[in-house]
Amino acid sequence: MKAFIFDLNGTMIHDMDYHTQAWQQLLNDELGSGLTWEEVKPQMYGKNQEVLGRLFGPDRFTAEEMDRLALAKEKRYQQAYRPHLALLPGLGEFLEKAHQRGIPMAIASAAIPFNIDFVLDNLNIRHYFQAVVSADDVTFSKPHPETFLKAAAQLQIAPAECLVFEDVPKGVEAAQRAGMPAVVLTTTHQAQEFELLPNVLHFSPDFQDAFFQGLV
């Protein structure tokens, strides 16, 4: 592979439970929705506005209301997760080795810049990435391949020569539709949930096993 493309939440950092918690608390506190953890967790992919649409239907909120709720959720998430903010084990060393070898790298995430900046700047890892594609940069979010294809284009690397790192089936499906192989971090979903996706090369809970040493 000539380039690495990383999803962010659940892939580089182990934070998806904090996203689920922030949504559940916000929607129950502000809207009295009564949504359970089990109802919210499966919707944790795509743009924030898409999450609201899946949970409540497309016509429940105005665009302005969705933007306000989305930002309020991110503020709750950041406040709760900030004391725990850390890269997955082994990822810091992996990024440094890839950087030393001159391997181009990108972030391709459904997160808004507010959240991407929170991670990249607080962990001081922005310099590793030549491209960052956020929710604000695409029309269609995962499982549509646009996010990954834009990242590859910005890196000027052919899609088939990019290796994607993901944690959710919809993200791996997006990589498949972009013509990219994927490595799955099992922070959020179990390996059997990806059994219908033939582009998965490897499963791992973090970046410490020998497979990752072979990539760099």
Side-chain angles (χ1 to χ4, degrees):
M1 296 292 104
K2 292 184 178 179
F4 297 151
I5 301 178
F6 295 83
D7 175 53
L8 183 64
N9 306 105
T11 298
M12 298 181 68
I13 55 177
H14 192 1
D15 67 336
M16 290 307 295
D17 282 353
Y18 291 90
H19 284 282
T20 304
Q21 175 182 288
W23 270 126
Q24 186 189 18
Q25 291 178 347
L26 177 72
L27 298 175
N28 289 346
D29 291 349
E30 287 210 17
L31 303 175
S33 66
L35 289 167
T36 66
W37 181 275
E38 290 71 24
E39 290 170 322
V40 175
K41 183 180 177 181
Q43 308 305 329
M44 292 295 99
Y45 66 92
K47 300 179 183 180
N48 284 344
Q49 289 80 354
E50 294 169 345
V51 173
L52 288 167
R54 286 194 295 270
L55 287 169
F56 295 96
D59 303 318
R60 170 70 181 272
F61 305 108
T62 66
E64 292 76 16
E65 287 171 332
M66 286 196 291
D67 289 345
R68 181 188 66 79
L69 288 168
L71 184 58
K73 173 262 170 180
E74 300 305 358
K75 289 179 178 179
R76 286 191 180 219
Y77 151 76
Q78 289 190 11
Q79 182 179 17
Y81 184 59
R82 187 182 298 274
H84 312 283
L85 178 60
L87 293 174
L88 284 183
L91 179 54
E93 295 82 357
F94 182 74
L95 292 174
E96 180 60 28
K97 287 181 181 178
H99 177 67
Q100 292 296 330
R101 284 197 55 197
I103 298 173
M105 293 185 283
I107 299 287
S109 171
I112 59 175
F114 180 68
N115 263 3
I116 295 175
D117 293 344
F118 167 71
V119 176
L120 297 186
D121 294 334
N122 281 292
L123 293 177
N124 297 312
I125 58 172
R126 187 180 292 275
H127 62 286
Y128 289 128
F129 301 100
Q130 289 73 56
V132 177
V133 180
S134 74
D136 291 358
D137 300 315
V138 298
T139 302
F140 306 103
S141 59
K142 304 169 189 176
H144 193 282
E146 181 183 6
T147 302
F148 290 131
L149 291 174
K150 280 204 166 185
Q154 289 183 24
L155 294 177
Q156 298 184 320
I157 303 292
E161 297 178 313
C162 297
L163 179 60
V164 166
F165 298 86
E166 260 286 355
D167 70 306
V168 300
K170 294 294 184 183
V172 174
E173 180 184 346
Q176 181 189 18
R177 295 171 68 183
M180 302 176 183
V183 172
V184 172
L185 283 305
T186 54
T187 59
T188 314
H189 294 269
Q190 298 179 346
Q192 58 264 32
E193 297 177 71
F194 299 83
E195 61 185 7
L196 298 180
L197 294 161
N199 59 322
V200 177
L201 300 182
H202 186 69
F203 294 96
S204 179
D206 54 37
F207 289 82
Q208 295 187 100
D209 71 35
F211 173 86
F212 297 98
Q213 317 243 339
L215 294 176
V216 293

